[in-house]
Amino acid sequence: MLSRYFIDIAQDLARAEVELSEKLRRPAVFFDRDGVLNHDSGYIFEASKLKWIDGAREAVKAVNDAGYFAFVVSNQSGVARGFYQESDVHALHRWMADDMAGMGAHIDAFEYCPDHPEGALERYRRVSDRRKPGPGMITDLLGRFPVDADHSILIGDKGDDLEAARAAGLQGYLFSGGNLEAFVKQHLEPRSGNAPKPG
């Protein structure tokens, strides 16, 4: 009888964990970086040279306020090409995070791929599933966070971004310029509580 009691408790706990996980699940917006959040002027790694896209920080805040995760997924082949180091990528992302925090916006995780199959540096000269159009950066985030992938989207400025989204099972949207906040708001689903409203 006692063993049956503990089995029931274990089953109840397992069921509670599943239910809690489902309640914590929420959609995400995956942002490409260069050309979406900031102007793509070629291998940006210094904060002094980064210029935000109009409405970029406001777009991230809109995603935060809507209850979505906000992620960045960025190819950074400049590392493989020897133009800058991974520490420079981290430093720039810290600066971007600090600058967004000043207006109440935040990125839940920055992901980047430093590899390139024709890289000048041998340690980064490889084919990587994390490099878009591969979906690796996206699928890694889906494995680490309780993301509702069915209602998640990716915003990119190149075909490789959209291909990566498709490979990960997400809807991708091509941003070709203008105000990013206005663009993103067109694609956010109205939400109630922790679950998207049916469309």
Side-chain angles (χ1 to χ4, degrees), residues 126-148:
R126 59 190 171 197
V127 174
S128 172
D129 182 56
R130 284 174 54 82
R131 177 175 169 77
K132 294 176 289 183
M137 286 188 284
I138 300 169
T139 55
D140 285 352
L141 288 165
L142 294 177
R144 285 167 44 205
F145 290 84
V147 176
D148 175 1

Side-chain angles (χ1 to χ4, degrees), residues 116-162:
H116 192 281
E118 299 173 4
L121 302 181
E122 186 175 353
R123 65 177 290 204
Y124 299 110
R125 190 187 307 130
R126 59 190 171 197
V127 174
S128 172
D129 182 56
R130 284 174 54 82
R131 177 175 169 77
K132 294 176 289 183
M137 286 188 284
I138 300 169
T139 55
D140 285 352
L141 288 165
L142 294 177
R144 285 167 44 205
F145 290 84
V147 176
D148 175 1
D150 290 341
H151 296 91
S152 296
I153 62 173
L154 178 142
I155 307 292
D157 68 325
K158 295 182 176 68
D160 282 355
D161 298 317
L162 303 191

Side-chain angles (χ1 to χ4, degrees), residues 10-169:
Q11 289 174 342
D12 288 345
L13 284 173
R15 186 165 48 251
E17 284 182 2
V18 170
E19 290 175 359
L20 180 60
S21 175
E22 288 303 314
K23 285 183 179 178
L24 291 175
R25 292 179 76 77
R26 51 194 169 110
V29 175
F30 295 79
F31 291 97
D32 176 45
R33 198 192 81 183
D34 303 323
V36 174
L37 290 176
N38 58 272
H39 289 276
D40 188 355
S41 53
Y43 302 108
I44 293 289
F45 68 96
E46 298 166 295
S48 62
K49 295 183 179 177
L50 184 139
K51 183 179 178 185
W52 292 104
I53 291 282
D54 289 343
R57 289 166 291 184
E58 294 83 358
V60 174
K61 188 172 189 312
V63 167
N64 300 153
D65 291 346
Y68 285 58
F69 288 112
F71 299 128
V72 170
V73 286
S74 178
N75 287 347
Q76 289 298 313
S77 69
V79 175
R81 298 175 194 277
F83 297 156
Y84 48 88
Q85 299 179 13
E86 287 194 68
S87 59
D88 296 314
V89 179
H90 293 298
L92 182 59
H93 288 168
R94 281 194 300 272
W95 181 87
M96 293 174 75
D98 289 344
D99 199 50
M100 284 186 276
M103 59 175 301
H106 72 272
I107 295 293
D108 292 287
F110 286 89
E111 290 289 320
Y112 71 95
C113 179
D115 304 318
H116 192 281
E118 299 173 4
L121 302 181
E122 186 175 353
R123 65 177 290 204
Y124 299 110
R125 190 187 307 130
R126 59 190 171 197
V127 174
S128 172
D129 182 56
R130 284 174 54 82
R131 177 175 169 77
K132 294 176 289 183
M137 286 188 284
I138 300 169
T139 55
D140 285 352
L141 288 165
L142 294 177
R144 285 167 44 205
F145 290 84
V147 176
D148 175 1
D150 290 341
H151 296 91
S152 296
I153 62 173
L154 178 142
I155 307 292
D157 68 325
K158 295 182 176 68
D160 282 355
D161 298 317
L162 303 191
E163 191 174 333
R166 282 193 297 272

